[in-house]
Amino acid sequence: MVGKRGRVIGRIAPGIVGEVMLPVRGATEAFYAYPAVDEEIEVGAQIVVVDYDPPRTVYVARAL
């Protein structure tokens, strides 16, 4: 999961659980997301996974 790129479908911010869509097993699936650093990431932004907490939680940063 670490290094996968996806997009935000539910706003991510410190203290707020967001949601992202990530490519997994040939499909796209939704995961709960927290910011890896204290930043706000709006809906539609491209992200990259920096940590994974099974089964469906990821920590993300804005993709460059």
Side-chain angles (χ1 to χ4, degrees):
M1 292 299 295
V2 174
K4 286 195 180 276
R5 291 176 169 259
R7 67 182 169 85
V8 177
I9 60 169
R11 183 174 158 263
I12 301 168
I16 297 174
V17 179
E19 194 170 15
V20 296
M21 295 296 286
L22 296 170
V24 180
R25 297 181 295 269
T28 304
E29 298 181 13
F31 288 80
Y32 295 118
Y34 292 95
V37 295
D38 286 340
E39 68 175 331
E40 188 172 312
I41 307 173
E42 294 299 325
V43 173
Q46 297 294 312
I47 54 87
V48 63
V49 176
V50 296
D51 198 9
Y52 173 57
D53 187 18
R56 301 208 66 79
T57 302
V58 292
Y59 294 84
V60 301
R62 190 179 308 274
L64 299 177

